[in-house]
Amino acid sequence: MKSVIVETTKYVLDYLKTIAPNALCRRAYDPIADIVELRAANKPIILVVPIDRTGELLREGGTVKNDLIIDIVVNAKLQHSAEEPELQVAEIDQLIELVEMIFAGCHKRNIKDDENGIEIHLMNPEHVVLSDIEMIQERNCFLSAIQINVKVFIDDLIN
């Protein structure tokens, strides 16, 4: 395994693609998608952003437990402005439903890859930002962030 953070975010990304197949999902280190990208995508963009990591050796010469914090950030360019409040609210409602689906999907979810000796536990999702009001008002964009705790167990440090 080259990097615990990089590899784990790839696994989380692949999992998110199954939860939200109609969204554009990618890894990032910046939680806010560029407005040009949002317009071009014309669909929600879900970013997997690593935030923090700690690790400890559990067994001599073997398993390492890593505790990661990852933000999953949903960005979208709103098609309706505040001048159409009912349509804008309906659009935001759909995005909140997507966020809730991701939230539920990250609660006690395990991803295991025996071939690469890695086991990933997604747990304790928390809405850090349910809906960023400033993004709606200033950019007519939606932004929501879910922070998840991730435990990663690796059997072999060097593959």
Side-chain angles (χ1 to χ4, degrees):
M1 173 157 298
K2 295 177 184 174
S3 164
V4 172
I5 293 169
V6 172
E7 295 303 314
T8 301
T9 56
K10 287 179 181 178
Y11 280 100
V12 172
L13 178 67
D14 288 343
Y15 174 62
L16 286 173
K17 288 177 181 177
T18 67
I19 294 175
N22 296 326
L24 182 111
C25 301
R26 67 176 175 82
R27 295 173 54 249
Y29 293 95
D30 182 350
I32 300 175
D34 182 75
I35 190 74
V36 174
E37 181 185 15
L38 288 171
R39 283 188 190 121
N42 201 28
K43 59 184 170 182
I45 297 176
I46 301 171
L47 303 176
V48 177
V49 183
I51 302 299
D52 194 20
R53 174 185 174 241
T54 58
E56 67 178 292
L57 185 63
L58 294 181
R59 288 194 315 257
E60 189 67 37
T63 304
V64 174
K65 179 183 90 168
N66 296 274
D67 292 310
L68 281 72
I69 297 173
I70 295 175
D71 280 355
I72 299 172
V73 185
V74 177
N75 289 260
K77 174 73 176 113
L78 297 173
Q79 303 302 314
H80 304 284
S81 69
E83 295 169 3
E84 306 168 293
E86 289 180 18
L87 294 174
Q88 188 185 51
V89 167
E91 188 176 2
I92 293 170
D93 286 347
Q94 287 181 326
L95 291 163
I96 292 290
E97 287 176 14
L98 172 63
V99 169
E100 288 179 340
M101 193 168 53
I102 293 168
F103 183 90
C106 292
H107 186 71
K108 293 185 180 179
R109 173 69 182 174
N110 297 332
I111 302 167
K112 192 171 184 179
D113 183 347
D114 290 328
E115 186 176 312
N116 291 310
I118 187 169
E119 189 172 334
I120 300 168
H121 300 264
L122 308 179
M123 51 214 278
N124 304 326
E126 177 183 337
H127 287 287
V128 178
V129 176
L130 182 60
S131 179
D132 188 314
I133 301 304
E134 288 180 23
M135 288 291 281
I136 293 170
Q137 292 173 342
E138 294 174 15
R139 299 176 88 191
N140 200 39
C141 293
F142 176 83
L143 183 131
S144 183
I146 298 169
Q147 193 164 83
I148 56 173
N149 294 301
V150 183
K151 294 208 181 297
V152 182
F153 297 92
I154 302 170
D155 288 335
D156 183 15
L157 281 177
I158 302 171
N159 283 338

